Amino acid sequence: MLGIGGSLRDGSQTERALRIALDGAAEAGADTSAISGQALDLPFYDAVSLERTPRASELVEAVREADGLIVVSPGYHGALSGLIKNALDYLEDLRADRRPYLDGRAVGVVGVAYGWQAAVTTLDQLRTITHALRGWPTPLGGAVNTGEVKFDVDGGASEEKVERTLRLIGTQVTEFAQRRA
């Protein structure tokens, strides 16, 4: 199970939400890894150029090998972050694979923003992108309003319901991947 998310700020609220969802996946039996923070600082995706930085190649290879993904994006001005969108654009490199793009894989998606409007629109955009990449968004998605919920450094959330939701998203991705295996 691969988690992609966060911001360039280490330990961001978005990255902490990702970690909780990955904990749920691990509890359901998945081996987990994450690409977040500075590891997502990639050059703008260029479909014309075949050259890839080591980080971009690692991202594409990690997605290629993953049986499921959890994608968590901060919501900036009512939309997913450019950092996460750019990382997802690199999945175009998977178009000719045996499993093109995210074909046949469950994808848990979560929008995290200071306010409900941006959190929900970010979630919706992540679902739309997942569909465009042939992935299966989990039945449960997450919209987290950090104006009301805070994540701590110990891996918890101030609202038990949010923590349960994030863990359940990880569980749903894992269970889907296990059924497909």
Side-chain angles (χ1 to χ4, degrees), residues 113-181:
Y114 191 85
W116 285 114
Q117 183 173 349
V120 171
T121 58
T122 300
L123 170 62
D124 182 57
Q125 291 163 4
L126 290 169
R127 283 186 177 282
T128 298
I129 291 167
T130 298
H131 282 133
L133 291 172
R134 304 181 191 176
W136 294 76
T138 56
L140 181 62
V144 179
N145 177 352
T146 59
E148 297 177 7
V149 176
K150 299 296 179 216
F151 297 97
D152 59 44
V153 295
D154 297 324
S158 62
E159 295 290 328
E160 186 178 324
K161 180 181 178 184
V162 169
E163 191 169 333
R164 278 195 321 267
T165 296
L166 294 171
R167 287 180 188 282
L168 182 53
I169 290 167
T171 298
Q172 287 182 346
V173 174
T174 302
E175 288 175 351
F176 183 93
Q178 290 169 339
R179 287 187 186 112
R180 296 269 309 170

Side-chain angles (χ1 to χ4, degrees), residues 31 41 51 83 95-96 101-102 114 118 121 152 161 171 173:
D31 292 326
D41 189 7
E51 291 183 39
L83 186 73
R95 70 186 165 280
Y101 305 108
L102 298 175
Y114 191 85
T121 58
D152 59 44
K161 180 181 178 184
T171 298
V173 174

Side-chain angles (χ1 to χ4, degrees), residues 2 4 63 67-73 80 84-85 87-89 91-92 94 99-111 121-142 169 173 176:
L2 176 65
I4 299 172
V63 173
D67 291 322
L69 278 83
I70 299 171
V71 181
V72 182
S73 177
L80 73 155
I84 300 302
K85 177 63 169 82
L88 294 173
D89 287 344
L91 302 190
E92 181 63 23
L94 302 175
R99 292 190 309 177
Y101 305 108
L102 298 175
D103 188 56
R105 289 175 262 200
V107 182
V109 292
V110 180
T121 58
T122 300
L123 170 62
D124 182 57
Q125 291 163 4
L126 290 169
R127 283 186 177 282
T128 298
I129 291 167
T130 298
H131 282 133
L133 291 172
R134 304 181 191 176
W136 294 76
T138 56
L140 181 62
I169 290 167
V173 174
F176 183 93

